[in-house]
Amino acid sequence: MSEPEGLNENANAEGAEGMGIYDADGVVSAPFLAHIGAAIADRDTITLRQEVGVLHQSEVGDLLEALLPDQRLALVVLMGDDFDYTALTEVDEAIRLEILENLPNQQVARAVEQLDSDDAVYILEDLDQEDQDEILAELPFTERVRLRRSLGYPEETAGRRMQTEFVAVPPFWTVGQTIDYMREEQNLPESFSQIFVIDPTFRLVGAVDLDRILRTKRGVKIEDVMRETRHAIPATMDQEEAAQIFEKYDLLSAAVVDENERLVGVLTIDDVVDVIQQEAEEDLLRLGGVGDEELSDRVWTAARSRVPWLMVNLITAFLAASVIGLFDDTIEKVVALAILMPIVAGMGGNAGSQTMTVTVRALATRDIDIYNAGRIIRREMGVGLLNGVVFATLIGVVAATWFQDYNLGGIIAAAMIINMFVAALGGILIPLLLDRVGADPAVASAVFVTAVTDVVGFLAFLGLATWWFGI
Amino acid sequence: MSEPEGLNENANAEGAEGMGIYDADGVVSAPFLAHIGAAIADRDTITLRQEVGVLHQSEVGDLLEALLPDQRLALVVLMGDDFDYTALTEVDEAIRLEILENLPNQQVARAVEQLDSDDAVYILEDLDQEDQDEILAELPFTERVRLRRSLGYPEETAGRRMQTEFVAVPPFWTVGQTIDYMREEQNLPESFSQIFVIDPTFRLVGAVDLDRILRTKRGVKIEDVMRETRHAIPATMDQEEAAQIFEKYDLLSAAVVDENERLVGVLTIDDVVDVIQQEAEEDLLRLGGVGDEELSDRVWTAARSRVPWLMVNLITAFLAASVIGLFDDTIEKVVALAILMPIVAGMGGNAGSQTMTVTVRALATRDIDIYNAGRIIRREMGVGLLNGVVFATLIGVVAATWFQDYNLGGIIAAAMIINMFVAALGGILIPLLLDRVGADPAVASAVFVTAVTDVVGFLAFLGLATWWFGI
């Protein structure tokens, strides 16, 4: 990350030696890393507090990831209560667990108490039940109840991601009273962009953005400036769905309500941005045949997570091979077929995966629906046919020239048109069908599309050849 | 998008017939669409203003996309100045241009004048120069200058995405003066979450979040509550880089400065969320071999945009075919080789694309750097070897049983280990190298990885067989 020039002298000057954490490429700089490493080795807590204490949580996260495993724990222990535990929300899950599991639960509890509830939940949720209970037991009652409630919601829901600290006022207060309350109250959330309006039973009535408060005269009642909340998020809503509401309505934060419509927390855009990134990443990795895997996973974990996809592909590969097996006599007589057949299957596979990628993405962003599905299916058929004809001509000419055989050129051209048309159809219909039956199109589409283009490719090419050459 | 139950009665009640825009699946409901279609046909502007006028801009966007092309323009024309032109920022580029090009430039100019500058730029930037100039000429001087300045920055930079409306105050003002100014001033941006602090030459000094203002007593000076801005964004910075700064530092908005560090605008998180989505989409589509294509593109445009990738793949497919061609004698004697060879190449391709997907994503999110690249390369080699051995055993046994030939089983197993190891190496090194030389790894990696796994797969399998069988 390159800092804007000229605006970070201050940040740099804070390092004892005027040293920035990042080099010109935006990577943790080697001198800085060596400097911190030396301070850790010397148990020089003063330097560590001075140099690491001033960093932003995500910078501390980058630093932790760049340090060696032993140094990470040592840094946290040496900095004691000056360590910013929100930095743990910025590192890989494996690194976070490695640090947390090596710290005494009492120390983790003391840290968790200082955090906003969403960060606390983020840190606690991946620990095993026993550690979680031990840490929660160390916390003050209200804190414990709040965190238990958040942790009680299913993983990847709004309830897990929400912050339970928020500002709520009754509708009959005036703007002046509200401002005075905020000036006096010590226990406000660290930052917030709207104030919620609730009735005496904690039921959500509306919300007011802070800029609205600031533009309004002191005497005006809150109920006269509030908006009714159209976009309250049920705590059990999937985080991806919540993120889509944020995107759709350009929200900065939204109220989270329980099953009785009582206000239980607030979901903020910074957490939603993480969700959006995570969901986009999931789609990309799934399309590439990789599950929920982290860069910090070890060989064994990563290898195992990739087996299912390879296994399914192996089965479809044997299916395609058995199709070739049907034509062993033909291949024995015309070896050129064996040489050319991977081209037909491969080009179909590529064309199919182009269509599939477009479709999977459009499904993820809900850009495809009943109003345009028909048009898009027709378009993809047109694209398949058009590119089929273009590449069929090209391949036909090259094959005929290579093997000095016009028949072979004609056969491969015909097979090519068939396979690219089928690839287009498969590339759009397979994800749409998987989506319709409730399966995740990003996970399963590629396997089916490749199976179809392999089988159809080999069958069309070898079948046409067998028929034409009369074998 | 499913609205939270029980909280949208109000929204629904606003429709004359209590009709929601979305059905249970979150798609524009057929009855609503028919109702609006009828109102358009009847030129019933009262109904349209009542029903469409109350919708959120993104809902109007969804409605436009669901309508037929003729209805879209008619709706905009019939609603006149009651049409919310920000809805045009929510639709596909093709639909936006289709509407804008059929409207008189005077009307577009009147609409643009009402918009926040970021939305205005979004709508103007894709129009051709002539229309752009004509529309700008219709605008008041200051508006024109602001938009020209934004449009003067290169595409996909912070300068293009920024909003030129913001609140800026001098550091010597008190909190009270600032609040009074906001209560009196009519020309404030539609919404904002921080106030900037500038010196008399418009140079950026700092910023104050609104919640900080609200918690502070009236007498306190702004300079005592402001933060120095560490994350000001140069207007020429690429929007993706700006988005990464937002993510890293959890910003809601950031000052945009010109080359003299003068404040020229503000970049807000809602625009950044769009950028994040767009960049994630680009990576996904590029990995799938699709360029910058829109769902609304026609057959011809879409087909043409996919040709380059297919063409490059065709060349590598012929390369792989010519490798097979080296062994035509061997295949003629042992046809089983032709049947099994796609399995070796295909499994290598899948394993390679798994590694490549992980690598490309890690590069995009900057999760891979000099500190962990070595470890990740070693990990991928381990994964390739481990899964290579697992699947080699499996395929060896199946092939030996199928063709009743232990030699064949041994040969395919050996070829499999070689190819899956090479696939892992290629899957990580190719994207890393492309990134190092400044090429986009998402665009080019897949082609090279497949080329490597095809060539090595055929070469290893057929080569080993030729040597073993002594052909």
Side-chain angles (χ1 to χ4, degrees):
Chain A
M1 184 100 12
S2 72
E3 293 273 305
E5 271 179 26
L7 284 157
N8 61 345
E9 299 104 334
N10 188 48
N12 280 341
E14 288 177 291
E17 298 159 38
M19 194 184 280
I21 163 168
Y22 298 113
D23 65 15
D25 291 334
V27 179
V28 177
S29 83
F32 184 80
L33 198 61
H35 177 58
I36 298 299
I40 292 172
D42 296 345
R43 310 183 60 80
D44 175 359
T45 56
I46 295 169
T47 302
L48 290 178
R49 278 181 194 148
Q50 251 174 22
E51 307 265 324
V52 182
V54 296
L55 297 179
H56 184 273
Q57 61 192 65
S58 72
E59 295 169 337
V60 179
D62 287 342
L63 173 64
L64 283 175
E65 293 194 338
L67 288 171
L68 301 172
D70 292 345
Q71 293 177 315
R72 291 176 193 143
L73 188 66
L75 176 69
V76 177
V77 172
L78 286 170
M79 287 188 66
D81 289 347
D82 288 331
F83 181 76
D84 179 0
Y85 280 81
T86 48
L88 294 185
T89 65
E90 308 273 349
V91 299
D92 238 39
E93 182 180 330
I95 294 177
R96 180 166 58 249
L97 288 178
E98 167 202 298
I99 294 175
L100 289 173
E101 280 162 8
N102 286 302
L103 284 176
N105 282 337
Q106 283 80 351
Q107 186 169 347
V108 178
R110 219 164 48 231
V112 159
E113 211 183 317
Q114 305 302 320
L115 298 179
D116 277 345
S117 64
D118 52 343
D119 292 329
V121 167
Y122 196 92
I123 284 180
L124 290 175
E125 64 183 355
D126 295 322
L127 293 178
D128 50 42
Q129 196 57 47
E130 201 184 326
D131 284 330
Q132 231 182 61
D133 289 338
E134 225 177 288
I135 293 167
L136 286 171
E138 300 274 331
L139 295 177
F141 177 74
T142 49
E143 192 84 353
R144 184 162 67 231
V145 169
R146 285 173 158 206
L147 291 181
R148 274 213 192 284
R149 182 164 60 184
S150 285
L151 287 165
Y153 290 110
E155 270 187 60
E156 311 215 328
T157 58
R160 276 286 178 98
R161 294 280 80 81
M162 73 186 179
Q163 192 175 317
T164 53
E165 298 88 3
F166 49 79
V167 181
V169 300
F172 51 80
W173 276 22
T174 63
V175 165
Q177 266 177 300
T178 307
I179 294 181
D180 292 341
Y181 161 75
M182 285 189 280
R183 288 203 182 122
E184 299 306 328
E185 174 65 39
Q186 296 304 312
N187 244 336
L188 293 178
E190 216 179 296
S191 73
F192 54 100
S193 59
Q194 63 178 346
I195 293 174
F196 297 106
V197 187
I198 50 172
D199 74 8
T201 64
F202 246 76
R203 227 164 270 202
L204 183 65
V205 182
V208 200
D209 288 331
L210 295 191
D211 62 293
R212 177 67 42 209
I213 300 256
L214 281 169
R215 292 172 210 221
T216 308
K217 306 244 187 265
R218 284 182 65 91
V220 178
K221 283 224 169 109
I222 288 291
E223 59 193 345
D224 296 327
V225 288
M226 75 180 190
R227 297 174 279 102
E228 301 206 26
T229 335
R230 286 183 55 190
H231 310 296
I233 312 262
T236 51
M237 181 183 271
D238 185 83
Q239 60 179 11
E240 187 173 8
E241 209 177 323
Q244 282 170 336
I245 294 181
F246 267 74
E247 276 187 85
K248 189 172 181 74
Y249 297 105
D250 291 341
L251 306 179
L252 291 180
S253 60
V256 180
V257 293
D258 68 9
E259 61 281 13
N260 300 315
E261 275 161 49
R262 267 190 283 264
L263 183 63
V264 290
V266 53
L267 196 62
T268 52
I269 182 77
D270 55 315
D271 297 320
V272 168
V273 167
D274 294 339
V275 170
I276 291 172
Q277 277 285 22
Q278 199 181 318
E279 299 289 343
E281 176 160 344
E282 270 178 29
D283 278 349
L284 186 89
L285 293 180
R286 282 176 188 161
L287 265 181
V290 190
D292 292 333
E293 130 176 359
E294 307 249 355
L295 267 189
S296 56
D297 284 344
R298 288 169 200 285
V299 171
W300 180 249
T301 322
R304 219 177 28 182
S305 86
R306 297 189 199 168
V307 164
W309 165 268
L310 291 174
M311 189 59 88
V312 176
N313 270 286
L314 181 63
I315 295 166
T316 68
F318 269 110
L319 181 71
S322 66
V323 170
I324 304 174
L326 298 176
F327 301 98
D328 51 354
D329 288 347
T330 314
I331 292 173
E332 211 167 352
K333 280 172 197 137
V334 191
V335 176
L337 295 175
I339 297 172
L340 292 172
M341 68 187 185
I343 299 178
V344 180
M347 290 296 287
N350 285 319
S353 84
Q354 288 180 325
T355 305
M356 178 193 76
T357 305
V358 172
T359 311
V360 167
R361 179 63 192 175
L363 283 169
T365 53
R366 305 202 183 186
D367 281 338
I368 195 167
D369 56 39
I370 47 165
Y371 297 109
N372 58 11
R375 191 181 62 73
I376 294 170
I377 293 173
R378 282 193 304 277
R379 181 188 81 157
E380 289 302 329
M381 286 164 61
V383 170
L385 215 53
L386 194 58
N387 279 345
V389 170
V390 169
F391 284 94
T393 313
L394 209 61
I395 292 171
V397 170
V398 175
T401 317
W402 185 357
F403 294 97
Q404 292 294 311
D405 183 342
Y406 289 107
N407 290 317
L408 201 58
I411 291 166
I412 198 171
M416 201 68 197
I417 294 177
I418 295 172
N419 204 26
M420 286 189 65
F421 182 71
V422 171
L425 263 189
I428 182 132
L429 293 183
I430 290 170
L432 285 179
L433 282 174
L434 287 170
D435 185 60
R436 180 62 62 89
V437 301
D440 181 347
V443 175
S445 293
V447 173
F448 288 111
V449 171
T450 320
V452 167
T453 54
D454 274 0
V455 167
V456 171
F458 293 135
L459 200 60
F461 184 48
L462 299 176
L464 279 174
T466 306
W467 166 74
W468 184 264
F469 292 126
I471 297 165
Chain B
M1 184 96 16
S2 71
E3 292 272 302
E5 270 178 25
L7 284 156
N8 61 345
E9 298 105 334
N10 187 50
N12 280 340
E14 289 177 290
E17 298 157 39
M19 193 184 279
I21 164 169
Y22 298 115
D23 65 15
D25 291 335
V27 179
V28 177
S29 84
F32 184 80
L33 198 61
H35 177 57
I36 297 299
I40 293 172
D42 295 345
R43 310 183 60 80
D44 175 0
T45 56
I46 295 168
T47 302
L48 290 177
R49 278 181 194 148
Q50 251 173 21
E51 307 264 323
V52 182
V54 296
L55 297 178
H56 184 273
Q57 60 191 64
S58 71
E59 295 169 337
V60 179
D62 287 342
L63 174 64
L64 282 175
E65 293 194 338
L67 288 171
L68 300 171
D70 290 346
Q71 293 178 313
R72 289 173 194 146
L73 188 66
L75 176 70
V76 177
V77 171
L78 286 170
M79 288 188 65
D81 289 347
D82 289 330
F83 181 77
D84 179 1
Y85 280 80
T86 48
L88 292 185
T89 64
E90 309 272 350
V91 299
D92 239 39
E93 183 181 331
I95 295 178
R96 178 165 58 248
L97 288 178
E98 167 201 298
I99 294 175
L100 288 172
E101 279 161 8
N102 285 302
L103 284 176
N105 282 336
Q106 283 80 351
Q107 185 169 347
V108 177
R110 220 165 46 233
V112 160
E113 211 183 317
Q114 305 303 321
L115 297 179
D116 277 345
S117 62
D118 53 343
D119 292 328
V121 168
Y122 196 92
I123 284 178
L124 289 175
E125 65 182 355
D126 296 322
L127 292 179
D128 50 42
Q129 196 58 46
E130 200 184 323
D131 285 329
Q132 230 181 61
D133 289 338
E134 226 178 288
I135 293 166
L136 286 170
E138 300 275 330
L139 295 176
F141 178 73
T142 50
E143 193 85 352
R144 183 162 68 233
V145 169
R146 284 174 160 205
L147 291 181
R148 274 213 191 283
R149 182 163 59 184
S150 285
L151 286 165
Y153 290 110
E155 270 186 61
E156 311 214 327
T157 57
R160 277 286 178 99
R161 294 280 78 82
M162 72 186 179
Q163 191 176 316
T164 53
E165 298 89 3
F166 49 80
V167 182
V169 300
F172 53 81
W173 275 22
T174 62
V175 166
Q177 266 178 300
T178 307
I179 294 180
D180 292 342
Y181 161 74
M182 285 189 279
R183 288 205 182 121
E184 299 306 328
E185 174 66 39
Q186 297 303 315
N187 245 336
L188 293 178
E190 216 178 294
S191 72
F192 54 99
S193 59
Q194 63 178 346
I195 293 174
F196 297 107
V197 188
I198 50 172
D199 74 8
T201 64
F202 245 76
R203 227 164 270 201
L204 184 66
V205 181
V208 200
D209 289 331
L210 295 191
D211 62 297
R212 176 69 39 210
I213 302 257
L214 281 169
R215 294 174 209 220
T216 309
K217 306 241 187 267
R218 284 182 66 89
V220 178
K221 283 225 170 108
I222 287 291
E223 60 193 344
D224 296 326
V225 289
M226 76 180 190
R227 297 174 280 100
E228 302 208 23
T229 335
R230 285 182 57 189
H231 310 296
I233 311 260
T236 51
M237 181 184 271
D238 186 82
Q239 60 180 11
E240 186 172 9
E241 208 177 324
Q244 282 169 336
I245 294 182
F246 267 73
E247 276 185 87
K248 189 174 181 75
Y249 297 105
D250 291 341
L251 307 179
L252 290 181
S253 61
V256 180
V257 293
D258 69 9
E259 62 282 10
N260 300 316
E261 276 162 50
R262 266 190 285 265
L263 183 63
V264 289
V266 52
L267 197 61
T268 53
I269 182 78
D270 55 316
D271 297 321
V272 169
V273 167
D274 293 340
V275 170
I276 292 173
Q277 277 286 22
Q278 199 181 319
E279 299 290 344
E281 175 160 344
E282 271 178 28
D283 279 350
L284 185 90
L285 293 180
R286 281 176 188 161
L287 265 182
V290 189
D292 293 332
E293 136 176 352
E294 306 249 355
L295 267 189
S296 55
D297 284 346
R298 286 169 202 287
V299 171
W300 180 249
T301 322
R304 219 178 30 185
S305 86
R306 298 189 198 166
V307 164
W309 165 268
L310 290 174
M311 188 60 88
V312 176
N313 271 285
L314 181 63
I315 295 166
T316 68
F318 268 110
L319 182 71
S322 66
V323 171
I324 304 174
L326 298 176
F327 301 98
D328 51 354
D329 289 346
T330 315
I331 292 173
E332 211 165 352
K333 281 172 196 135
V334 192
V335 177
L337 296 174
I339 297 172
L340 292 171
M341 68 187 184
I343 298 179
V344 179
M347 289 296 287
N350 286 319
S353 83
Q354 288 182 324
T355 304
M356 177 193 77
T357 305
V358 172
T359 311
V360 167
R361 178 64 192 175
L363 283 169
T365 54
R366 304 201 184 187
D367 282 337
I368 196 167
D369 55 38
I370 47 165
Y371 298 108
N372 59 10
R375 191 179 61 72
I376 294 170
I377 293 173
R378 282 193 303 278
R379 182 188 80 156
E380 290 302 329
M381 286 165 61
V383 170
L385 216 53
L386 193 58
N387 279 345
V389 170
V390 169
F391 284 93
T393 314
L394 208 62
I395 292 171
V397 170
V398 175
T401 317
W402 184 358
F403 294 97
Q404 291 295 315
D405 184 340
Y406 289 108
N407 290 317
L408 202 58
I411 291 166
I412 198 172
M416 201 67 197
I417 294 178
I418 295 172
N419 204 26
M420 286 190 63
F421 182 72
V422 170
L425 262 188
I428 182 132
L429 293 183
I430 290 170
L432 285 179
L433 281 175
L434 287 169
D435 185 61
R436 180 62 62 91
V437 300
D440 181 348
V443 175
S445 293
V447 173
F448 287 112
V449 171
T450 320
V452 167
T453 54
D454 273 0
V455 167
V456 172
F458 292 135
L459 202 60
F461 183 49
L462 298 176
L464 279 173
T466 307
W467 166 73
W468 184 263
F469 293 126
I471 298 168

